Amino acid sequence: MEIRRHALLSPSVGTHRELLSFHYGTPGAGQKVYLQASLHADELPGMLVLHHLKQRLAVLEAQGLLRGEVVVVPVANPIGLDQTLMHGQLGRFEFASSENFNRHYPDFLALLGEGIAARLGQDAEANKRAIRAAMGDALGRIKPATELQSLRQILVSLAYDADVVLDLHCDFEAVLHVYTETPCLEQAEPLCRYLGAQAVLLAKGSGGASFDEALSGHWWQLAERHAGRYPIPQACFSATVELRGNTDVYHPVAAQDADNLIAFLQHRGVVAGDPPAMPAALCEATPLAGSETLHAPHAGVVAFHRQAGDYIEAGEVVVDVIDPLTDTVTSVTASVSGVLYARGIVRYATTGMDLCKVAGKVAFRSGYLLSA
Ligand SMILES: [Zn+2]
C-alpha cells in the first residue's frame, strides 16, 4: 500500500491542508476502483466503513489477492471537517463560498469538446483509453483559484480513470440507498444487492454536477452523441452510496458494510476468490424524478407516524406538523406510493421545510432534481 499526500491550495497565510489517498494493489493489473468518504464532511458512516475496508485491503494485498488497484480516500473533505460554528459541525457547504462540496465538478463532455471525435475509432477499448487520456489532459489544464477548487481537482484527478467510483455519504435518518445514473444500472445492481440497498434512485444527469455524475455522465453522453459511428462503453460505474443516517456510525454495521464491499469487489474480479452468493434485491430501482419530498405546510413541531424503510401507500399520513399555540394539527400525506427512504432530523419545521422523501415509481419531476 502506498500513501500519497496531496497539498490543497493554501487559503490563508500560515495555513496548509492536505488530502491523503491510500493505494492498494497494482495499477494496470486489472480494474481500478476508487472509494471516498465524507465529501459532505459531517456525514461520517463512510469514514468508519473505509477504516474497516482498509484493514481488509491490507490483508488481501499481503496475501496477493488483489487483481487491480483500489484507491481509498477516507477523509475526502479536510476543509469541511474543520468547519465548526457554535459547537456544531457544518460540513455540507463551504463557509468561504457557501458552495455545496458535492457540486460544481468538471463537465467532461464540454471539456473534451467536439475534438474528441478525431481520436475515436471502431475499437471500444481503444476509445476508452483515448477518452481517459483526453480527460487527463483536460484536468491538467484546469488551474484552481481557491482551496475548494483545488480539493475538487485533486479528488477528480484520483478518480477520473477508475472503472468504479463509490462516493460514500449518508442522509439524516435513512435506510441504505444508492443514487446512480440510469446507464450504470446494470453495473449498480450487484453493489445494491450486496449492500442491501432499500432504494435505488436513477437519473440521467440530475443537474448538480455532483462528483459521481461528473465521472459517469460523459461516457453515456458521448455514446449517445456518437451512436452508430463509434462504440463507447460506460467505462465508469459511479454511484453515491447513502449509508443510512448521520448517527448510524457503529463498528458492527460498518464492518458488515466493508465485508459487503469486498464481496462486490470479488464479484467485479478486483479481489480474487469466489464472492458470496448475491442476496436478492430488496427493492426495484426507481426514477429520482419520481421521488417525492414532503414539505411542512406551516411551522410547528414535527411528529412522524412512519419510520425510514416503511412502505407508504399514496394518500397515507406520514407525519404531522403541530402548531401548539393554535393546536392546529396538519397531517402530511404522500401523493406517491413507495419506500420512505429518508427523513429529516429536525423536529421543528419552518414553513415549507423538507420533512422526508418517498421513492415513487413514476417520474413526475423535471429539471434540477437534487436538494440544496
Ligand atoms: Zn452527502
Side-chain angles (χ1 to χ4, degrees), residues 119-281:
R119 298 168 72 169
L120 301 176
Q122 297 309 312
D123 180 342
E125 273 299 307
N127 289 342
K128 180 167 87 175
R129 287 194 297 274
I131 290 167
R132 283 185 178 161
M135 292 168 72
D137 293 344
L139 274 174
R141 289 194 295 271
I142 297 175
K143 297 287 175 250
T146 67
E147 187 185 37
L148 174 54
Q149 289 174 17
S150 74
L151 174 69
R152 289 185 181 127
Q153 187 179 33
I154 291 165
L155 295 174
V156 174
S157 297
L158 285 164
Y160 80 94
D161 57 350
D163 302 281
V164 177
V165 171
L166 300 181
D167 190 13
L168 307 183
H169 288 245
C170 70
D171 211 298
F172 294 111
E173 296 176 343
V175 289
L176 194 150
H177 57 285
V178 173
Y179 297 96
T180 193
E181 293 200 285
T182 312
C184 292
L185 177 59
E186 194 179 328
Q187 299 187 71
E189 193 194 351
L191 176 79
C192 297
R193 287 172 62 176
Y194 278 119
L195 286 175
Q198 290 178 253
V200 179
L201 299 138
L202 301 174
K204 281 176 84 176
S206 53
S210 59
F211 182 78
D212 68 327
E213 292 189 356
L215 293 158
S216 55
H218 60 292
W219 291 104
W220 62 262
Q221 289 162 0
L222 285 170
E224 288 184 357
R225 177 182 286 183
H226 297 294
R229 277 181 295 168
Y230 306 121
I232 298 171
Q234 185 60 43
C236 178
F237 158 45
S238 184
T240 295
V241 179
E242 302 281 345
L243 293 167
R244 310 173 191 84
N246 264 327
T247 59
D248 294 323
V249 185
Y250 300 101
H251 280 301
V253 178
Q256 184 63 58
D257 287 340
D259 286 340
N260 294 341
L261 287 171
I262 294 293
F264 170 67
L265 295 183
Q266 282 185 311
H267 172 81
R268 291 282 309 201
V270 180
V271 173
D274 293 328
M278 198 183 298

Side-chain angles (χ1 to χ4, degrees), residues 50-118:
L50 292 189
H51 159 72
H52 284 276
L53 189 77
K54 283 170 65 195
Q55 326 301 313
R56 286 155 178 71
L57 291 171
V59 172
L60 291 165
E61 185 177 56
Q63 294 173 337
L65 295 175
L66 293 185
R67 295 288 179 264
E69 182 185 16
V70 183
V71 178
V72 179
V73 176
V75 180
N77 184 359
I79 304 171
L81 208 54
D82 195 28
Q83 292 187 164
T84 302
L85 180 69
M86 296 188 212
H87 306 282
Q89 196 202 357
L90 296 169
R92 187 175 182 85
F93 304 95
E94 193 207 25
F95 281 177
S97 64
S98 302
E99 286 182 3
N100 186 323
F101 285 108
N102 193 20
R103 304 286 184 269
H104 308 291
Y105 284 87
D107 177 352
F108 279 109
L109 189 71
L111 288 172
L112 298 182
E114 298 293 339
I116 190 64

